[in-house]
Amino acid sequence: MPTNNQSKSQAIEAAQERIRSNRADLCDITSLANELLDRKSEALARAITLIESNNPSDRPQAHKLLSKLRDHGHPNSLRLGITGIPGVGKSTFIERFGLDLIDEGHRVAVLAVDPSSKRTGGSILGDKTRMEKLAVSDNAFIRPSPAADTLGGVARATMEAILLCEAAGYNIILVETVGVGQSETSVRDMVDVFCLLLIGGAGDEVQGIKRGIVEMADIVVVHKADGENVGECRDTASAYRNALHLFPETEGGNKVEVITASSMSGDGHDEFRSCVGRLLDIWSGNGFFESQRSLQRSERMASHAKDLLFENKINGIRSQEVWDRLSQSVESGEMSAFSAAWEWMNS
Amino acid sequence: MPTNNQSKSQAIEAAQERIRSNRADLCDITSLANELLDRKSEALARAITLIESNNPSDRPQAHKLLSKLRDHGHPNSLRLGITGIPGVGKSTFIERFGLDLIDEGHRVAVLAVDPSSKRTGGSILGDKTRMEKLAVSDNAFIRPSPAADTLGGVARATMEAILLCEAAGYNIILVETVGVGQSETSVRDMVDVFCLLLIGGAGDEVQGIKRGIVEMADIVVVHKADGENVGECRDTASAYRNALHLFPETEGGNKVEVITASSMSGDGHDEFRSCVGRLLDIWSGNGFFESQRSLQRSERMASHAKDLLFENKINGIRSQEVWDRLSQSVESGEMSAFSAAWEWMNS
């Protein structure tokens, strides 16, 4: 057993070490923030990795970084969500849309939220090769899907990744999702405009898409409208146009537009950009753009707070064990969800 | 200043008082639970009031009550959500549906989730008078809308209120919502079957309904199909039937059925009960009924846990003050939501 003096000097040493390492962290974070503000894409990539980290010990640094980037948001950014099942051509659509935007003088960041990529071992490394031309542009940044875990990790990180991209000078942020899971609702709540890509064809339009996503869309694109598919795609678009008046009106007071497009020929891309432009005109006119963003920010703060408290608690000694045990009783219907949550909180 | 002995004896007294009051609480809760299991509707009403309480000091008792009712769930209950804007005739629909079910030997509880009732000073006391015949039946229990506050209070309480109703011997639980707010998604996640009531008429069908709710529906009822409205309602129903094949398929493998009904004439009510029956047949066949319930239970445990941790923290000294201050910085876009949540958690 250490003597009183020994333990005291150990405590002092530990405290000094803590101060030293905190200082080192602060320096690192400061230079990371500066490099990011200097638009170095390697720094942006490292910053996103820090934000995405599932290690709770990285949270203080993430907080420091975000604090340093305060007041460095992009004043005129546009956040656009693009969803559709694998095979609908999201990458080719985003590549052409992105290159056109860059031609117009924009800087484009693409973030992928693909909760299935871990499970299927899919597109984690494939994103950049899927968008060859966009990937080599100096004015584009492409972030492969994070290999995030459960507990809403992907969605939590993506909102902050958007802020990092904006601080690094990207004014158009495209968030790509696969349209099959819970994360779409989260993505809807972090972008300004949400677009749904469909394939034309009898009954195949929404195969695989999760229910509820059609009603989230601000713009519907019937994609791959080229060659002999054009007719079928136009029919699909017109069927959706007819059906959409049966949907409740949008909160932003805009009409949901349905167009056909091909990213091979480029047909429909001008129209798509016009649709986005019209939407922004309406929303800046009636104030919906800013009110939606403000609501998104405060709702996200509450969800971050709850997630952080939960993470803090479940990483405590034996807390996960207790959670798993109680969780089983709840799943089997033995115990009420409230009682189990209460017991866990007080464990 | 008290002497050491004085403070000791005070501490002992306080501890004894605590034990006494705990015992008293336990007795009260035990008798409340027993009366509830004896199907005394007054006890059920008091139990729901306890569960709905926004006072954190009532949580331990709520937990005790739910623990005592463990293993007293109804083995064959059906939880049905009914949504539609004010004026669509939800009360008349529920009254006729409920009375028909009681005639068939069921016991029916009606819970109202109306987040607007506090704001508008609306239907808090009006629910029972809106369903006159159902209200006087011995086999019905009608719970007026709770005057709940923000922070998702209504939704949290409603799930537990369902369990209390089932413990009190009600096998059909109808949850009525107004279809305008966030609470619908929560209600969808606590019922087995979700029904949307619409009014027929050119373009008026979904006036006022929040976007996203149409896609949640398992059954769509075009209501008030009586007198000269019948034709228009049939047209509306047929338009929805045509449009619904453009929606993604349901997770339960069922077809969303669209019917017309009148609660004045009773037309369509037999068909509605058949629709529900068919749904349950499909879902018990493919296991979706049980898998949906099990998923709902575990998701609710996580959301309860997060809410409780949040409540626990925000009720701490000055925590609400800190939250409000940080929240303002987030809303104005000065601070990132993550940073604010992190600072609050560590405050």
Side-chain angles (χ1 to χ4, degrees):
Chain A
M1 231 181 110
T3 66
N4 207 11
N5 269 350
Q6 265 181 321
S7 72
K8 254 190 199 164
S9 75
Q10 278 173 348
I12 291 167
E13 256 179 64
Q16 284 172 335
E17 174 54 32
R18 224 165 23 243
I19 292 164
R20 269 195 300 275
S21 86
N22 269 344
R23 272 197 200 133
D25 289 353
L26 272 173
C27 295
D28 282 343
I29 292 296
T30 305
S31 62
L32 180 60
N34 289 337
E35 285 172 38
L36 188 150
L37 291 170
D38 280 348
R39 306 189 166 189
K40 293 197 176 131
S41 56
E42 186 271 335
L44 175 56
R46 266 196 299 139
I48 296 180
T49 303
L50 174 63
I51 294 285
E52 278 173 357
S53 166
N54 288 313
N55 190 343
S57 66
D58 286 332
R59 299 274 177 273
Q61 291 205 314
H63 168 60
K64 273 178 217 159
L65 176 66
L66 287 163
S67 302
K68 289 202 176 295
L69 299 175
R70 210 194 265 200
D71 308 322
H72 291 285
H74 204 290
N76 293 307
S77 74
L78 173 65
R79 304 161 186 171
L80 210 137
I82 293 174
T83 196
I85 51 163
V88 77
K90 288 188 298 297
S91 311
T92 52
F93 183 86
I94 289 172
E95 177 155 74
R96 186 170 276 263
F97 180 49
L99 289 170
D100 285 349
L101 289 168
I102 287 169
D103 280 348
E104 290 174 4
H106 298 288
R107 298 188 78 229
V108 178
V110 182
L111 302 170
V113 177
D114 179 359
S116 67
S117 63
K118 198 188 178 187
R119 206 178 39 206
T120 61
S123 59
I124 296 180
L125 294 168
D127 288 319
K128 289 203 186 190
T129 52
R130 286 188 300 131
M131 303 178 205
E132 279 183 355
K133 287 179 202 153
L134 197 60
V136 296
S137 166
D138 284 342
N139 293 310
F141 174 82
I142 299 178
R143 176 70 180 186
S145 316
D149 67 345
T150 48
L151 287 180
V154 185
R156 183 197 57 222
T158 304
M159 184 66 229
E160 268 56 48
I162 290 174
L163 299 179
L164 296 178
C165 290
E166 291 175 356
Y170 294 96
N171 67 318
I172 310 261
I173 319 295
L174 307 180
V175 184
E176 179 192 342
T177 68
V178 289
V180 294
Q182 293 294 339
S183 51
E184 270 64 38
T185 320
S186 315
V187 171
R188 180 56 211 93
D189 290 342
M190 60 180 81
V191 296
D192 305 310
V193 178
F194 194 71
C195 307
L196 171 63
L197 263 56
L198 298 174
I199 319 181
D204 296 337
E205 299 87 358
V206 285
Q207 286 288 336
I209 286 275
K210 196 176 156 73
R211 239 179 129 72
I213 289 176
V214 176
E215 261 178 285
M216 286 182 203
D218 296 306
I219 303 171
V220 175
V221 179
V222 185
H223 198 218
K224 295 194 171 176
D226 33 46
E228 51 191 21
N229 293 327
V230 174
E232 208 167 40
C233 288
R234 286 201 184 135
D235 291 347
T236 301
S238 127
Y240 273 90
R241 229 170 269 129
N242 286 334
L244 284 176
H245 79 269
L246 296 170
F247 281 42
E249 45 187 32
T250 61
E251 284 176 77
N254 54 295
K255 202 174 135 253
V256 176
E257 302 205 55
V258 186
I259 62 166
T260 59
S262 162
S263 299
M264 272 169 63
S265 68
D267 286 348
H269 272 266
D270 284 348
E271 202 183 342
F272 179 72
R273 289 204 308 289
S274 304
C275 285
V276 174
R278 276 196 294 276
L279 215 53
L280 296 181
D281 284 345
I282 296 172
W283 289 352
S284 61
N286 62 17
F288 180 74
F289 188 89
E290 195 36 56
S291 71
Q292 178 174 248
R293 279 222 177 161
S294 165
L295 185 68
Q296 287 175 344
R297 283 192 290 261
S298 36
E299 285 184 349
R300 191 141 298 273
M301 177 178 166
S303 77
H304 274 314
K306 288 181 183 181
D307 286 347
L308 284 169
L309 287 167
F310 187 81
E311 180 179 272
N312 200 32
K313 167 86 184 155
I314 206 148
N315 285 314
I317 298 162
R318 293 192 50 242
S319 186
Q320 181 75 55
E321 256 175 78
V322 176
W323 177 271
D324 291 343
R325 182 172 50 74
L326 290 166
S327 186
Q328 274 185 334
S329 308
V330 169
E331 265 169 61
S332 67
E334 235 179 274
M335 213 171 166
S336 90
F338 175 82
S339 277
W342 176 264
E343 264 190 32
W344 173 74
M345 191 182 78
N346 293 296
S347 70
Chain B
M1 228 180 113
T3 66
N4 206 12
N5 267 352
Q6 265 182 319
S7 72
K8 251 191 201 165
S9 75
Q10 278 173 348
I12 291 168
E13 255 179 63
Q16 284 172 334
E17 174 53 32
R18 227 172 14 250
I19 292 165
R20 269 195 300 274
S21 86
N22 269 345
R23 272 196 201 135
D25 289 352
L26 272 172
C27 293
D28 283 342
I29 292 297
T30 305
S31 61
L32 180 61
N34 288 337
E35 284 172 36
L36 189 150
L37 291 169
D38 280 349
R39 307 189 165 188
K40 294 200 175 126
S41 56
E42 185 272 335
L44 175 56
R46 266 196 298 140
I48 296 180
T49 303
L50 174 64
I51 294 285
E52 277 173 358
S53 166
N54 288 314
N55 190 342
S57 65
D58 286 331
R59 300 274 176 273
Q61 292 205 313
H63 169 60
K64 274 179 216 159
L65 177 65
L66 287 163
S67 302
K68 289 205 176 292
L69 298 176
R70 210 194 267 198
D71 308 322
H72 290 285
H74 204 291
N76 293 308
S77 75
L78 172 65
R79 303 162 187 171
L80 211 136
I82 293 174
T83 197
I85 53 162
V88 77
K90 289 189 298 298
S91 311
T92 52
F93 183 86
I94 288 172
E95 176 156 74
R96 187 170 276 263
F97 180 49
L99 289 171
D100 285 349
L101 290 168
I102 287 171
D103 279 348
E104 289 174 4
H106 297 289
R107 299 189 78 230
V108 178
V110 182
L111 303 170
V113 178
D114 178 359
S116 67
S117 64
K118 198 188 179 187
R119 207 177 40 205
T120 61
S123 59
I124 297 179
L125 293 168
D127 289 319
K128 289 204 184 189
T129 51
R130 287 189 298 131
M131 303 178 205
E132 279 183 355
K133 287 179 202 154
L134 197 60
V136 296
S137 166
D138 284 343
N139 293 309
F141 173 82
I142 300 177
R143 177 70 180 186
S145 316
D149 68 343
T150 48
L151 289 179
V154 186
R156 182 197 58 221
T158 305
M159 185 66 228
E160 269 55 49
I162 290 174
L163 299 179
L164 295 178
C165 291
E166 291 175 356
Y170 294 96
N171 67 319
I172 312 262
I173 319 294
L174 307 180
V175 184
E176 179 191 342
T177 68
V178 290
V180 294
Q182 294 293 340
S183 51
E184 271 63 38
T185 320
S186 316
V187 170
R188 202 328 135 230
D189 289 342
M190 60 180 83
V191 296
D192 306 309
V193 179
F194 195 70
C195 307
L196 172 63
L197 263 56
L198 298 173
I199 320 182
D204 296 336
E205 298 86 359
V206 285
Q207 287 289 336
I209 285 276
K210 198 178 155 75
R211 242 180 126 72
I213 289 176
V214 177
E215 261 177 286
M216 287 183 202
D218 297 303
I219 303 172
V220 175
V221 179
V222 184
H223 198 218
K224 295 195 171 175
D226 33 45
E228 51 192 21
N229 293 327
V230 174
E232 208 167 38
C233 288
R234 285 199 185 136
D235 291 348
T236 300
S238 125
Y240 274 91
R241 229 170 267 130
N242 286 335
L244 284 176
H245 81 268
L246 295 170
F247 279 42
E249 45 188 31
T250 61
E251 284 175 79
N254 54 294
K255 204 174 133 253
V256 177
E257 302 204 55
V258 186
I259 62 166
T260 59
S262 162
S263 299
M264 271 169 63
S265 68
D267 285 349
H269 271 267
D270 284 349
E271 202 182 342
F272 179 71
R273 289 203 309 287
S274 304
C275 285
V276 175
R278 276 196 294 276
L279 215 54
L280 297 180
D281 283 346
I282 296 171
W283 288 353
S284 62
N286 63 15
F288 180 74
F289 188 90
E290 195 35 56
S291 72
Q292 177 174 248
R293 278 222 178 162
S294 165
L295 185 68
Q296 288 175 343
R297 282 192 290 259
S298 37
E299 286 184 348
R300 191 140 296 272
M301 177 177 165
S303 77
H304 275 313
K306 288 180 181 179
D307 287 346
L308 284 169
L309 287 166
F310 186 81
E311 180 179 272
N312 200 32
K313 168 85 183 154
I314 206 148
N315 285 314
I317 298 162
R318 293 190 51 243
S319 186
Q320 180 74 54
E321 255 174 81
V322 176
W323 177 270
D324 291 343
R325 182 174 49 76
L326 291 165
S327 186
Q328 273 185 334
S329 309
V330 169
E331 265 170 61
S332 67
E334 234 180 276
M335 212 173 168
S336 90
F338 175 82
S339 277
W342 176 264
E343 265 191 31
W344 174 75
M345 191 181 80
N346 294 296
S347 69

